[in-house]
Each structure stands twice: as structure tokens, then as C-alpha cells.
């Protein structure tokens, strides 16, 4: 949940900007920051970058493309070794208009390659929380750091054009779906997970369906005390889908990100079921990934998935804080660790590994 606390947002933006050379922060031509040319290491430690909430990556034609929330633009990183992200070339590929419905609070971007083109999905607003919606850009260039990004507009169900963030898309059995976190109405207080079929990468093909709402206690940590905030918000957000065998696992973040109790929950569906029916999805009654005070990892969440270059390993990419009570601000850093599969076919994410623990890079580098 992204609660609008002015100071926290300002710190997030300033910290993200501090990572980029001044030339990349202009609204004119976006300069490419080249890779350092350092030899690829065989091991790495978390975090991958000094700041970066809502991390996302995709592997395509021998390269990983990575992005995370900066707050005021869309930046892409390109690397053959995601564990060496800090040395990767990167570029601001889009800056928002000075004003308008998608001019502020640029959150949770995701890059997808669909039907021969690149698409960037992101959340943005007009300067106030209730106006947050999902938006999509398109680029026909083989390299998404190059070419022209064309605005494909807002992604919304015309019959339920409500608050929306954390959009993601996935293909299943040849059909494309959009999943996101949204409000039931127009008043803040609870975030649910919604799903809708898509006609193409920028158009919905049917109405939204709510497939998850915060029901368990571990999904409902979210007291607030700001003068402009509701007293409490229960949260389901950041949905991501991974398929294993004939099962779909939708992993999402639960509870407020401003609490240390931000965790990952999971829904499961048969890949051949009607995904538009809420009854097709079953919620795991306990978190599948959560804070580890003994390892000094707090509020882990907003994950994505990737495989090693040789396709033999599955990896979890997520953000977390290194100390308690650091909330939703610029202390969140991107981290990654390998996960495995249990005999019953469900993912085993284990515990968050400590920062600075030496890990082997993904296999096949």
C-alpha cells in the first residue's frame, strides 16, 4: 500500500535521483549510463542497489532488463548478470508530463515483451491518491533502452474505473490477463487483488473480477495516524504469477508496507480453470515469505520472479528494509535469492537471507 506521506515520498524520490547522473534526469534526451566493464563476479551479496522498491526483471535474448520505482520517471537497467546490477548500463526511458492524469507518483513499473514489442506498465496519478490508475507504454525497438516509447493510455475497466496500482500481465494457455491492486469503490480503506482478461497488451477484454481480499490477520496490519489518512488500511497488492506444472501461483504482498509485517501471501489456481472466477483461486492460510529479525530483514515484499540464464534455477526478486520501522521510504533495497519447489509442487521461498551473505550467482552465467 502506498500511503501518501509527503516527507516519505520526497525522500524516496531524492534517494532514487541520487543514483542517477544529472544527465539522465533531464526531460530532454536521455543519456545512456554505460556498464562499467568490470569482470562479472561469481558471487554476490544483497542488496543489489542502495535503493529500489518494487523490483522487476525480465530475461530476453541474453540480457536481463530490470526496473524499479524511482518516483518520478521510468528507468531501465540492462545486464547479462542481474547479480551485478550495480555495474549495469541504465537509462531513463520516459519522464512524465509536467501535469495531467499520469504526471505524478510513478510507481511499480514492469517491462514485458508481448507480440514482438515491449510494454511498460506503471501506476501514476494527477497529484492525489484517489486518481491513481494504471498506464502503459509501447516500444517496437529490439532494445527497450532505445527506440521511442509511445503512450498507449490508461488501462481500466470502463464500468469500474477505480483506484489501481501494481499492474502486471501474464499469459496462460494463450490468453493474456491483467492483475492489479485496487479499491472496491472510491474511498481508501482496503486494497484487493483484481483480474481482467485482455484483448491486447493495452486494452481489457472484460470486466474486472476480485480474486483476493485481506481476510487473515497477517494481511490486515495497517494502522495509520496521519491527519489525511484513514485510520486503518488492509492490504493485498503487488500480484505476480508464476506457473509450475499445471498450477498457477499468484504471489502478492499483504499488510501495509509502512509496517514491519509486510509479507508475501499466495493464491493457487489450476492452469486450466476459469481464472476469471474467484472460486478458481485458493488462498494459502499463512504467509509464504516474511520478515526475519534474526537475519535483519524486515518488511520483505513486492516480489517478482526470474530464472537463471540456463533455465535451471528459479529466483525471487524482492525489496526489504535492513532495520525495523523503516516503512515505505528510501530504505527499501532490491534483493534476490534462489527458491526451490516442494514435492507437492508448491514454491518454497525459505527465509530472507541476511544482507552481505555471500551467494553464488545464478547458474549459467
Amino acid at each position: 500500500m502506498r500511503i501518501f506521506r509527503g516527507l516519505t515520498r520526497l525522500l524516496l524520490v531524492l534517494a532514487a535521483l541520487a543514483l542517477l547522473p544529472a544527465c539522465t534526469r533531464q526531460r530532454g534526451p536521455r543519456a545512456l549510463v554505460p556498464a562499467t566493464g568490470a569482470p562479472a563476479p561469481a558471487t554476490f551479496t544483497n542488496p543489489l542497489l542502495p535503493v529500489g522498491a518494487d523490483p522487476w526483471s525480465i530475461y530476453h535474448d541474453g540480457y536481463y532488463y530490470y526496473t524499479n520505482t524511482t518516483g518520478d520517471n521510468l528507468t531501465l537497467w540492462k545486464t547479462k548478470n542481474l547479480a551485478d546490477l550495480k555495474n549495469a548500463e541504465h537509462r531513463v526511458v520516459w519522464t512524465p508530463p509536467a501535469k495531467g492524469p499520469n504526471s505524478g507518483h510513478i510507481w511499480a513499473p514492469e517491462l514485458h515483451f508481448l507480440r514482438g514489442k515491449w510494454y511498460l506498465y506503471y501506476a501514476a496519478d494527477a497529484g492525489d491518491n484517489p486518481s491513481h490508475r494504471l498506464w502503459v507504454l509501447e516500444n517496437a525497438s529490439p532494445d527497450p533502452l532505445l527506440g521511442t516509447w509511445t503512450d498507449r493510455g490508461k488501462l481500466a475497466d470502463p464500468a469500474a474505473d477505480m483506484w489501481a496500482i501494481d499492474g502486471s500481465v501474464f499469459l496462460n494457455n494463450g490468453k493474456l490477463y491483467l492483475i492489479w491492486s485496487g479499491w472496491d469503490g472510491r474511498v481508501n480503506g482496503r486494497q484487493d487483488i483484481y483480474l481482467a482478461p485482455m484483448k491486447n497488451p493495452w486494452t481489457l477484454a472484460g470486466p474486472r473480477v476480485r480474486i483476493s481480499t485481506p481476510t487473515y490477520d497477517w494481511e490486515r496490519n495497517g494502522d495509520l495516524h496521519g491527519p489525511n489518512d484513514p485510520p486503518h488500511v488492509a492490504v493485498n497488492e503487488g500480484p505476480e504469477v508464476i506457473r509450475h506444472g499445471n498450477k498457477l501461483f499468484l504471489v502478492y504482498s499483504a499488510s501495509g508496507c509502512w509496517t514491519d509485517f509486510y509479507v508475501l501471501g499466495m493464491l493457487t489456481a489450476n492452469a486450466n480453470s476459469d481464472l476469471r472466477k474467484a472460486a478458481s483461486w485458493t488462498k494459502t492460510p499463512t504467509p509464504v515469505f516474511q520478515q526475519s529479525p534474526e537475519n535483519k530483514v524486515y518488511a520483505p515484499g513486492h516480489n517478482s520472479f526470474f530464472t537463471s540464464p540456463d533455465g535451471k534455477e528459479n529466483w525471487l526478486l524482492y525489496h526489504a528494509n535492513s532495520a525495523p520501522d523503516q516503512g515505505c521510504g528510501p530504505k527499501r533495497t532490491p534483493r534476490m535469492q534462489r527458491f526451490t519447489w516442494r514435492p507437492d509442487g508448491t514454491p518454497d521461498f525459505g527465509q530472507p537471507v541476511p544482507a552481505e551473505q555471500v551467494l553464488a550467482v545464478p547458474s549459467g552465467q
Side-chain angles (χ1 to χ4, degrees), residues 120-158:
L120 263 171
Y121 298 87
Y122 66 97
D125 67 23
D128 64 312
N129 189 23
S131 66
H132 244 114
R133 297 295 188 274
L134 298 177
W135 303 81
V136 60
L137 305 169
E138 180 187 77
N139 188 348
S141 170
D143 186 337
L145 274 70
L146 306 175
T148 300
W149 285 96
T150 302
D151 188 354
R152 279 294 191 171
K154 181 171 65 174
L155 263 175
D157 176 358

Side-chain angles (χ1 to χ4, degrees), residues 259-317:
T259 76
D260 291 336
F261 303 103
Y262 200 54
V263 298
L264 296 184
M266 188 170 73
L267 304 174
T268 304
N270 187 296
N272 297 317
S273 64
D274 186 349
L275 304 182
R276 297 169 298 173
K277 294 182 178 180
S280 297
W281 298 89
T282 302
K283 182 177 291 189
T284 300
T286 56
V288 294
F289 195 66
Q290 58 190 315
Q291 68 169 322
S292 176
E294 62 272 26
N295 290 342
K296 298 182 179 179
V297 180
Y298 299 86
H302 203 109
N303 77 287
S304 59
F305 303 104
F306 70 93
T307 56
S308 57
D310 62 9
K312 296 180 179 179
E313 297 176 349
N314 293 104
W315 287 73
L316 181 71
L317 182 63

Side-chain angles (χ1 to χ4, degrees), residues 53 60 76 80 83 105 108 114 133 200 209 233 245 254 261 291 293 307 326 338 347 349 356 359:
H60 182 76
L76 296 179
K80 287 184 174 292
H105 306 110
L114 301 166
R133 297 295 188 274
N200 54 49
V209 176
V233 178
F261 303 103
Q291 68 169 322
T307 56
Q326 291 184 332
R338 186 183 174 190
F349 300 120
E356 306 307 325
L359 302 169

Side-chain angles (χ1 to χ4, degrees), residues 59-72:
Y59 188 70
H60 182 76
D61 286 346
Y63 287 94
Y64 289 99
Y65 296 95
Y66 168 92
T67 187
N68 60 224
T69 293
T70 68
D72 71 340

Side-chain angles (χ1 to χ4, degrees), residues 197-222:
M198 303 186 76
K199 182 186 306 183
N200 54 49
W202 62 91
T203 311
L204 298 187
R208 69 176 190 168
V209 176
R210 182 170 58 205
I211 59 173
S212 182
T213 192
T215 53
Y216 292 107
D217 288 345
W218 52 269
E219 300 177 284
R220 300 182 59 83
N221 295 287

